[in-house]
Amino acid sequence: MSSVLTIRGGVPLTGRVTVRGAKNLVPKAMVAALLGNEPSVLRNVPEIKDVEVVTSLLQLHGVTVEKDPITGDLTLDPTNAKTASHTAIDAHAGDSRIPILLCGPLIHAIGEAFIPDLGGCKIGDRPIDYHLNVLRQFGAVVEKRPGGIHISAPGGLKGAKISLPYPSVGATEQVLLSATRAEGITELSGAATEPEIVDLIAVLQKMGAIISVQTDRTIRIEGVPDLGGYNHRALSDRNESASWASAALVTRGDIFVEGATQRDMMTFLNTYRKVGGGMDIGDDGIRFYHKGGKLNPLVLETDVHPGFMTDWQQPLIVALTQAEGVSIVHETVYENRFGFTDALIRMGANIQVHRECLGSVPCRFGQRNFLHSAVISGPAQLTGTDIDVPDLRGGFSHLIAALAASGTSRVTGIDIINRGYERFTEKLAGLGADFDITSAE
Ligand code: EPZ
């Protein structure tokens, strides 16, 4: 049954939240366990929908997944991996994009994989061409079948020299999860190097993989025949941490985010400081707060790591609606990630989106009819309204806008937010938010 949030705005969020393992690492580390010949243990695992989806997909394929009732740690045992029925896979894949990353590990484990047509947040076309090209370069046979794609590799996967046209996080993970047990050496140029990628490499190295990241975004993997298990504590979710930081600015509040890690958020922290946000950086987390004065507008361009993450821009844009002046955000990673601004405009925000690349460098989406630059003028008084959540980060942005707005907002479709924000309604309540949850009639 879907839920509805009725939010009464105008209450600053103050208090403490705990952020646990990164949504964009934990499901990948779970898939990596399939490559091992013994059980693995994953710690700091959040209770989010994406973990549930991957748990059921792995169980479908014969992997036992046990969750410690106290800590939430997962023990994954891949020793009885087996094929699964296509209909069952499709039924369990949900709107996750993770199934595509099962290809390499399943081919190594059982010789084949079936991937249903994928979901994922509606922030662009979300193609998988890079993934399929990578698998073909490893020697896999990729066949389009009704409802999805069948991949097999009769002679096993062979190391390859691969160059990505764009530093895709998913395609880099596809290479890592396929190459570690492939025969021979793989050299990947144009790789993504996000902290979540480096944490996945740490997981694979614990299993026995030989992987090096060079200075020019090249990753070199020496294939090994067998891998063992791992015992790993997932890095914390920098995207959730950045979301709570923006929430503190938007609601003029003060939030200590336990688990926020300076090392993984350096670019965000610089931007947060330039907007006028306050921060105290500690060893166990970061305090983010509104200093009481005005917020500053800025010109921002999203990019791959170590640039400003695309996943950070949506909540921050809500803060920019409160800045005194004109801000510009040029989204260069996804072609259609400003749909969430429609609801903000209905609430009173002054935002225009444009087809032009309003940034320092023309990006892949320039002159291709994608509304991928935004101009935000502030400060704007936000007023509560009815909102239907469009995607994960946009949905969180709508929540914090409603929390800052005057009046009441009725927010539907909030189940999407469970995909990446652990126990978010409990956290909001703990921070003093004024809202009710009811089931949609
Ligand atoms: C991961 O998505 C994250 N999701 C995204 O987080 C994140 O925004 C993104 O990386 C970039 O950092 C997970 O890890 C589950 P990409 P991914 O492949 O791997 C294009 C969130 O809110 N592309 O780096 O799917 C693609 O369309 C989510 O937590 C192809 O063209 O991202 C996009 O324009 C949102 N063909 C660009 O590359 C392909 O085969 C970057 O995508 C694959 C990607």
Side-chain angles (χ1 to χ4, degrees):
M1 172 67 72
S2 62
S3 310
V4 178
L5 278 192
T6 303
I7 296 174
R8 290 166 290 277
V11 178
L13 295 184
T14 56
R16 183 186 185 98
V17 294
T18 300
V19 168
R20 296 206 292 169
K23 168 186 90 74
N24 293 347
L25 176 274
V26 165
K28 291 73 172 282
M30 293 169 69
V31 168
L34 250 177
L35 290 164
N37 55 20
E38 59 187 359
S40 290
V41 176
L42 184 56
R43 290 173 282 116
N44 200 28
V45 177
E47 288 181 21
I48 56 174
K49 184 87 167 39
D50 272 15
V51 169
E52 292 169 19
V53 168
V54 177
T55 297
S56 60
L57 280 172
L58 289 174
Q59 289 171 333
L60 265 182
H61 287 90
V63 178
T64 59
V65 183
E66 283 160 29
K67 178 177 172 182
D68 183 300
I70 311 294
T71 62
D73 295 353
L74 299 181
T75 300
L76 306 106
D77 185 349
T79 44
N80 296 312
K82 62 181 173 54
T83 54
S85 82
H86 295 180
T87 44
I89 296 170
D90 201 4
H92 284 79
D95 54 7
S96 164
R97 289 177 57 76
I98 304 298
I100 189 67
L101 295 178
L102 281 164
C103 296
L106 283 176
I107 289 172
H108 286 306
I110 56 177
E112 64 173 340
F114 173 79
I115 309 303
D117 294 330
L118 292 184
C121 286
K122 299 288 172 277
I123 53 179
D125 181 32
R126 308 305 293 276
I128 55 170
D129 51 334
Y130 299 167
H131 294 257
L132 301 181
N133 292 340
V134 156
L135 289 163
R136 289 187 186 101
Q137 291 179 73
F138 278 112
V141 177
V142 178
E143 297 166 79
K144 183 71 183 98
R145 296 209 176 148
I149 297 165
H150 180 266
I151 295 121
S152 60
L157 298 179
K158 304 277 189 294
K161 191 173 174 61
I162 298 170
S163 175
L164 290 181
Y166 183 80
S168 154
V169 166
T172 301
E173 292 161 342
Q174 186 70 249
V175 171
L176 290 169
L177 292 166
S178 300
T180 41
R181 280 187 48 194
E183 184 190 323
I185 289 172
T186 295
E187 187 176 278
L188 170 63
S189 54
T193 57
E194 272 67 6
E196 293 78 16
I197 296 281
V198 176
D199 214 39
L200 179 61
I201 290 171
V203 164
L204 293 166
Q205 188 178 52
K206 285 175 175 173
M207 298 174 79
I210 301 170
I211 305 174
S212 58
V213 182
Q214 278 130 26
T215 52
D216 59 352
R217 229 180 248 284
T218 297
I219 296 179
R220 190 171 185 278
I221 302 114
E222 297 180 29
V224 293
D226 293 303
L227 291 173
Y230 64 77
N231 188 315
H232 186 76
R233 185 180 190 281
L235 84 170
S236 70
D237 195 317
R238 59 201 177 110
N239 293 338
E240 181 178 353
S241 298
S243 298
W244 291 114
S246 294
L249 273 193
V250 168
T251 64
R252 305 179 71 85
D254 186 331
I255 303 174
F256 180 77
V257 182
E258 183 185 1
T261 310
Q262 178 185 12
R263 179 201 56 227
D264 299 338
M265 299 181 73
M266 307 282 279
T267 306
F268 178 82
L269 298 176
N270 289 336
T271 301
Y272 197 79
R273 179 165 283 151
K274 285 194 282 190
V275 171
M279 68 181 85
D280 295 333
I281 300 170
D283 294 337
D284 60 345
I286 302 175
R287 175 193 170 216
F288 295 102
Y289 59 96
H290 191 293
K291 294 198 279 193
K294 68 179 181 60
L295 297 183
N296 311 313
L298 51 73
V299 178
L300 184 65
E301 193 160 68
T302 66
D303 203 346
V304 296
H305 186 74
F308 191 90
M309 289 298 296
T310 173
D311 302 335
W312 295 336
Q313 59 93 338
Q314 291 172 294
L316 189 76
I317 280 183
V318 186
L320 295 177
T321 68
Q322 304 307 303
E324 293 199 5
V326 177
S327 300
I328 299 174
V329 177
H330 179 210
E331 169 59 63
T332 72
V333 179
Y334 287 107
E335 66 272 28
N336 189 16
R337 200 160 192 175
F338 288 134
F340 79 106
T341 60
D342 294 346
L344 299 183
I345 293 165
R346 284 193 290 113
M347 296 175 83
N350 187 339
I351 303 173
Q352 282 115 9
V353 288
H354 297 274
R355 289 173 182 75
E356 286 70 24
C357 296
L358 299 183
S360 52
V361 290
C363 79
R364 297 167 294 148
F365 307 127
Q367 312 314 324
R368 284 177 52 200
N369 210 29
F370 293 120
L371 296 168
H372 72 293
S373 291
V375 178
I376 304 107
S377 306
Q381 171 57 48
L382 301 179
T383 307
T385 185
D386 285 358
I387 297 169
D388 188 41
V389 163
D391 60 70
L392 175 67
R393 307 297 172 191
F396 191 91
S397 307
H398 290 158
L399 287 185
I400 60 178
L403 287 163
S406 60
T408 301
S409 297
R410 188 174 179 278
V411 185
T412 52
I414 61 169
D415 297 339
I416 295 177
I417 302 176
N418 287 317
R419 282 193 49 208
Y421 291 94
E422 180 180 38
R423 299 174 181 273
F424 73 93
T425 52
E426 288 176 34
K427 289 176 180 173
L428 286 176
L431 292 170
D434 181 7
F435 67 96
D436 301 314
I437 303 178
T438 51
S439 53
E441 48 273 1

